[in-house]
Amino acid sequence: MSVKVKYELEFPIQSSPQLLYQYISTPSGLSEWFADNVNSRGEFFTFIWDDSEEKAKLASKKSGERIKFRWLNDDNTETDYFFELKIMEDEITKDVSIVISDFAHEDELDESKLLWENQISDLKHVLGSV
């Protein structure tokens, strides 16, 4: 099995960090833009898209700033891969952006980045930040 490579993307978002955090850290918020449905049981999250389901464990979070999910294998053991959503606010201009860290196979990198662009576009629509 080939190793995945880490990449980062940054998207400007017109939203308050507090509101944005609700959409990246709660099952109801995530299900409005990230997946068709999101369920959580404690620190374990299930992301559902059409006919596929992925499980992740909440690895870390800092209220109002960032959240990190580590993907789980079919037997619920942690993988080396995670995705992290970080809210950045410029101290001077107060511009807000979201920084995404994720992993993809090298041959799927462009596709993965495009998927995030589409997801963030959905998030902007939900936030009214288009």
Side-chain angles (χ1 to χ4, degrees), residues 42-112:
E43 59 190 8
F44 294 95
F45 283 68
T46 304
F47 298 95
I48 301 160
W49 294 272
D50 292 332
D51 52 359
S52 75
E53 194 174 283
E54 295 289 334
K55 289 188 164 74
K57 182 181 178 185
L58 178 61
S60 65
K61 71 176 178 178
K62 186 167 183 187
S63 189
E65 268 184 45
R66 63 183 163 76
I67 189 153
K68 181 177 180 179
F69 295 97
R70 185 165 298 278
W71 293 113
L72 301 175
N73 288 316
D74 293 336
D75 62 358
N76 286 341
T77 57
E78 292 183 28
T79 67
D80 293 334
Y81 304 113
F82 64 86
F83 71 99
E84 183 176 43
L85 306 167
K86 240 186 307 198
I87 300 168
M88 307 291 283
E89 183 177 17
D90 186 289
E91 289 183 23
I92 298 166
T93 64
K94 298 295 181 201
D95 289 344
V96 174
S97 58
I98 187 164
V99 177
I100 291 147
S101 301
D102 199 2
F103 290 83
H105 292 288
E106 204 127 0
D107 59 341
E108 297 173 351
L109 209 49
D110 290 341
E111 191 180 317
S112 294

